[in-house]
Amino acid sequence: MLRSKYQMFADSLSENVFKTKTQANPIMLVVLAYLLLIVIGTALLSLPQAASRPISLIEAFFTAMSAVCVTGLSVVDIPSTFTHTGLWIIVVLMQFGGLGIMTASTTLILLAGMHPGFSHQSVFLSEFTQEGNIDAGRILRAIIPFTFGLELIGGTVYFTQFESMEMYDRVFCSIFQAVSSFCGVGFTLFPDSLVSFQYNPIMNITTCILVLAGGFGFLAIAELRYLFDFKHKEVRRLSLHTRIATYGTFIVIGVSILVFAFTEHSNLFSGHTFSENAQSVLFMAFTSRTAGLNSVNIPDLTQASLFFFIIIMFIGANPGSCGGGIKITTAAVIGLLGFNRLLGREKTQVMGRTIPNSTIDKAIRIFVVAIVVIGTATLILLNTEIPSGSRYAADSGPFLKILFEVVSAYATCGLSMGLTEELSTVGKIVICIVMFIGRMGPLFLISAVAGKLQDTAYYAEEDIMVG
């Protein structure tokens, strides 16, 4: 009887909270949830117990925004500014931001024995899969153990490398670094990021694995996990999404290795052994797309390397992951579109399949929005961060520095050439907006595409000259 009453209450609560009678915009729920978490994080980081010195509201807000948006840019020195209480708050913000608000809320709903409404579930699925017929609970049961299990393994390995620390600091630093690496945030408790571990193979390999897993995409990982059917002793066929995500990821990493080896062979890698250089180039290739962790001093890199950093940060990670950028699959679709058009094909084809026009439209919209946001933010910062009438007005140096910062913020990467701490108040606000758009951008586009399209086509055609 009690169970029946509880179930009736749970069903009623689920229906009232998660199902709306009117057509609500589910994307707005995600946006508001992220904003609420950022506001709560800002308030908590502003508490006297959270910081070792008084910090301004904009500093607390920037740190919370960077943690929730899994970016890693910071206007303060994280380990010296925040107490252990503040650092634990940052860990929680990173974890919630990495997995996503919808994951956490759906977990609580399932644990309470309730079922999410259709709009809530559709938003959750849009973050982790391109199909709409997959059970959210099944996805959660795959995501949560995988995430915490991998972070636990990574934290254990990190623990073995922090022997010089006191026990509490050693445990906490291991947890902090594991969460930061997997979620691709880029925060560390070391003043030089991971430069002091540049030639530590255990640290490098562990970090690369965590970053790769966190940015690979949960759907692709789930498919690869069950690639081999042990019952029938056969290899299952992977979806086109997983194949493109997998091939694209390792193509980007492979090209990055070659480019960094070429651009830094007479600069960063000069005078070092092959083993040391291999560790440095592999670390950059694996982490530079979305993690924000660095084992080399970024400003010391060549202009060619910095420009290539901008390109791969812009591309980013895979959909449904902790990473940002326009996503590897988006870049692949745009590249395949151009390749097929060059061959005179009307359809975009790859691996014996034709990519739907709706997917191509989404990819183009994502690309266009990214270019507009990055271009606008860069133009604003060029006016706010360079003193009027200074010698920098005719110098191209600050342009690369500012563009690097903006792309890093949009791609939620977190790498910087040292501009972040020098930003003006306006510059900090602009970067916060870019970080938030970079984290939310795909959801806005899904919302726009999901809406009913009005038939406003004009049937009178007229050609124009192009090219």
Side-chain angles (χ1 to χ4, degrees), residues 211-437:
V211 170
L212 179 64
F216 202 81
F218 296 115
L219 176 64
I221 289 175
E223 277 201 73
L224 291 173
R225 179 184 175 186
Y226 298 104
L227 177 61
F228 186 77
D229 187 350
F230 290 95
K231 183 178 180 180
H232 299 92
K233 296 182 180 180
E234 61 181 8
V235 178
R236 293 188 176 96
R237 178 185 173 277
L238 294 175
S239 67
L240 182 61
H241 166 81
T242 299
R243 282 183 284 170
I244 291 180
T246 303
Y247 295 149
T249 296
F250 289 103
I251 287 174
V252 171
I253 292 175
V255 172
S256 299
I257 291 173
L258 295 177
V259 171
F260 289 138
F262 174 74
T263 57
E264 296 296 331
H265 74 281
S266 59
N267 178 43
L268 186 67
F269 301 150
S270 178
H272 296 283
T273 65
F274 175 80
S275 174
E276 292 173 340
N277 291 337
Q279 290 186 65
S280 297
V281 73
L282 285 173
F283 191 92
M284 286 194 295
F286 272 84
T287 65
S288 57
R289 294 178 298 119
T290 185
L293 296 166
N294 59 286
S295 63
V296 299
N297 192 18
I298 298 298
D300 291 343
L301 299 176
T302 63
Q303 297 286 296
S305 294
L306 294 171
F307 179 68
F308 187 74
F309 262 107
I310 292 175
I311 295 175
I312 58 179
M313 284 192 301
F314 181 76
I315 294 174
N318 284 324
S321 71
C322 299
I326 65 170
K327 303 298 189 294
I328 286 178
T329 51
T330 303
V333 168
I334 294 174
L336 291 169
L337 172 64
F339 178 74
N340 279 271
R341 291 298 184 270
L342 286 175
L343 296 181
R345 298 172 181 168
E346 294 185 1
K347 300 291 185 180
T348 303
Q349 304 172 16
V350 62
M351 300 180 187
R353 294 291 185 270
T354 296
I355 300 176
N357 288 332
S358 59
T359 301
I360 296 173
D361 291 341
K362 290 180 187 178
I364 294 174
R365 293 183 188 188
I366 291 171
F367 179 81
V368 171
V369 168
I371 293 296
V372 171
V373 171
I374 290 171
T376 303
T378 301
L379 184 61
I380 294 174
L381 292 184
L382 285 171
N383 282 274
T384 61
E385 305 309 307
I386 300 179
S388 178
S390 69
R391 63 184 179 87
Y392 293 111
D395 187 2
S396 61
F399 172 74
L400 182 63
K401 194 174 184 179
I402 289 174
L403 179 62
F404 192 98
E405 189 85 8
V406 172
V407 174
S408 179
Y410 184 85
T412 66
C413 178
L415 291 174
S416 176
M417 293 176 62
L419 178 65
T420 312
E421 295 184 3
E422 303 172 2
L423 290 170
S424 63
T425 301
V426 175
K428 293 172 184 175
I429 294 173
V430 171
I431 291 297
C432 282
I433 294 173
V434 173
M435 286 192 291
F436 190 75
I437 294 176

Side-chain angles (χ1 to χ4, degrees), residues 154-167 169-178 188-190 193-194 196-197 200 203 207:
T156 302
V157 177
Y158 284 138
F159 180 82
T160 65
Q161 303 304 302
F162 302 148
E163 297 178 350
S164 60
M165 298 181 179
E166 297 292 335
M167 182 56 67
D169 292 336
R170 188 177 178 184
V171 172
F172 177 75
C173 189
S174 302
I175 296 173
F176 189 99
Q177 191 60 54
T188 71
L189 298 181
F190 307 100
S193 189
L194 297 180
S196 56
F197 299 95
N200 184 321
M203 285 288 295
T207 304

Side-chain angles (χ1 to χ4, degrees), residues 432-452:
C432 282
I433 294 173
V434 173
M435 286 192 291
F436 190 75
I437 294 176
R439 182 61 174 156
M440 296 287 100
L443 296 179
F444 282 116
L445 292 170
I446 291 171
S447 178
V449 173
K452 293 182 179 180

Side-chain angles (χ1 to χ4, degrees), residues 129-153:
T129 174
Q130 80 276 20
E131 301 291 343
N133 56 353
I134 299 178
D135 178 49
R138 179 183 174 187
I139 295 178
L140 275 175
R141 286 189 290 272
I143 293 173
I144 302 300
F146 173 79
T147 299
F148 290 111
L150 199 57
E151 287 177 350
L152 178 61
I153 295 173

